[in-house]
Amino acid sequence: MAITAIRGFNDILPSEIGKWQFVEKMAREVFENFGFSEIRIPVLERTELFARGIGEATDIVEKEMYTFADKSGNSLTLRPEATASMARAYLEHQLYTFDPVAKLYFIGPMFRYERPQKGRYRQFYQIDAEVFGVGNPVVDAEVILMLIHFLRRVGLEKLELQLNSLGCRSCRPRYKEGLKADLDEKSFQLCEDCQRRLQSNPLRIFDCKVQTCQDAIADAPKVIDFICDECASHFDKVKEYLGIAGLDYHLTPRMVRGLDYYTRTAFEVVSYDLGSQNAVTGGGRYDNLFQEIGGLDVPGIGFAIGMERLISLLPKDREFIQYPHLFIASPGKETHREAYRLANQLHVEGIRAEFDYEGKSLKSQMRRADKLKARYVLILGEEELKKGRAVLRDMQDKSQQELPMPDIVETLKRKVFGH
Ligand code: ATP
Ligand code: MG
């Protein structure tokens, strides 16, 4: 039997790639306008980076990591997210010596051992943006604005920004206690996983999909009622800055995010178009991450966008495929050679030209030009070529005209680029 791809690992085919390239191009454009620079991080890291950075008692670290030992027995992990690696790179290369503020973005695949289903894969792509080195709430608002601006630029409309504060190292333990005390009384209602979560990391119960667990937390205490004065004032400022920029948000006191490193501001953007897996992107502030991975005390904030989910939401009426500008039809031996020569010349001039490699009949070449959706076809007939002429067919209005061969490249450029 022919070899197939691994379950949960997808090919992105040429018919789809236009959407990916469009989204990536927009991300680069928008983020760079906001002063972000691209960084590229390795696919593999030491397992410890994620175990400590993301937190042992998270879904990712507990059960979703692609971890294996290499031939020297080192425990390595395929990156399940980008933030920890980006923080490591910032520390390792001492980017803060140039400027304490680093605004970085990253685009690439992530790996999580999850049950593959629609919208959930084992290799998936994220677009990630992070600001390191600023604790001021103005940057929380700025990062969110950039995210929303980007999502609108790619054409998403039905968006809702959900906002919460998760408190910090000093106030969250109090909240966890309060939550645990409340849930202890309803623990019989919790699924097996959540019974365990109740002991290790009760906040994660909010993310459980089991209905009885959802019922149990329906009137559980809210983080927002437990946060300290500093966290409360930080949160007020974030809301104020979002307000100044005219951005609407919904306070979602039960949105807690799945990763341990989040502190204070947490946000998600959901799309009404997406059914059950409706979070396209999520992010927040993480002022403890750097210390967890053994570094300086650096504040950070950022977000990760799931590209597959984003792409599934792109406007359906948009055309993302690039068709040939021109197909050169060449029915004879001599004309075939001319088609080859001309196509190469056109490629250098920036014209997407195709020609027939196999010397097929004119009819079958015209069929192929049609199938490829070429805008024009240049027909190199033997007789015409001898007279130094060729026929250009406009595939939209089906009109034809004879053109002189000597300055055909210039003529075609004028046609294709309109000048
Ligand atoms: P979920 O609650 O859906 O599992 P998450 O909290 O694990 O999401 P993050 O770690 O915040 O997700 O990743 C950010 C985004 O990456 C998500 O909003 C989603 O769009 C995307 N994403 C996460 N896991 C997957 C996956 N297995 N396949 C495809 N996209 C994913
Ligand atoms: Mg997840």
Side-chain angles (χ1 to χ4, degrees), residues 60 112 114 119-121 124 126 257 259 279-282 304-306 308-309:
I60 294 182
R112 296 186 194 174
E114 299 199 67
R120 198 173 283 285
Y121 311 104
F124 62 98
Q126 284 189 341
R257 312 280 305 127
L259 286 65
V280 203
T281 165
I305 305 170
E308 284 80 358
R309 291 185 205 173

Side-chain angles (χ1 to χ4, degrees), residues 240-378:
E240 186 189 326
Y241 287 122
L242 289 175
I244 292 173
L247 202 67
D248 286 339
Y249 52 82
H250 287 257
L251 296 179
T252 43
R254 295 179 201 290
M255 186 256 293
V256 295
R257 312 280 305 127
L259 286 65
D260 259 8
Y261 54 53
Y262 286 113
T263 52
R264 297 192 167 167
T265 316
F267 54 89
E268 282 186 359
V269 180
V270 302
S271 156
Y272 299 124
D273 292 336
L274 256 196
S276 60
Q277 258 99 42
N278 65 355
V280 203
T281 165
R285 180 166 276 289
Y286 41 87
D287 293 344
N288 304 333
L289 169 66
F290 282 84
Q291 284 184 317
E292 291 296 336
I293 62 174
L296 308 166
D297 189 5
V298 180
I301 177 154
F303 59 77
I305 305 170
M307 281 185 78
E308 284 80 358
R309 291 185 205 173
L310 175 61
I311 281 163
S312 72
L313 293 171
L314 292 183
K316 299 282 176 282
D317 51 358
R318 259 189 91 137
E319 192 71 85
F320 293 97
I321 300 173
Q322 297 209 315
Y323 300 111
H325 295 129
L326 180 80
F327 188 94
I328 308 170
S330 53
K333 249 209 176 83
E334 266 313 302
T335 61
H336 188 248
R337 196 166 294 145
E338 181 57 22
Y340 159 74
R341 205 184 54 78
L342 185 57
N344 280 302
Q345 237 179 323
L346 292 171
H347 294 157
V348 173
E349 294 294 332
I351 294 185
R352 267 195 310 278
E354 283 291 333
F355 70 105
D356 172 64
Y357 294 118
E358 308 288 359
K360 296 228 175 83
S361 71
L362 181 61
K363 204 166 143 199
S364 101
Q365 291 188 34
M366 290 306 286
R367 261 204 307 271
R368 182 153 173 255
D370 204 41
K371 199 169 79 187
L372 294 177
K373 298 204 165 99
R375 178 69 184 77
Y376 296 98
V377 178
L378 187 72

Side-chain angles (χ1 to χ4, degrees), residues 11-22 311-312 320-321:
D11 299 306
I12 303 164
L13 300 176
S15 56
E16 283 293 303
I17 204 73
K19 296 180 191 170
W20 291 75
Q21 291 173 337
F22 165 73
I311 281 163
S312 72
F320 293 97
I321 300 173

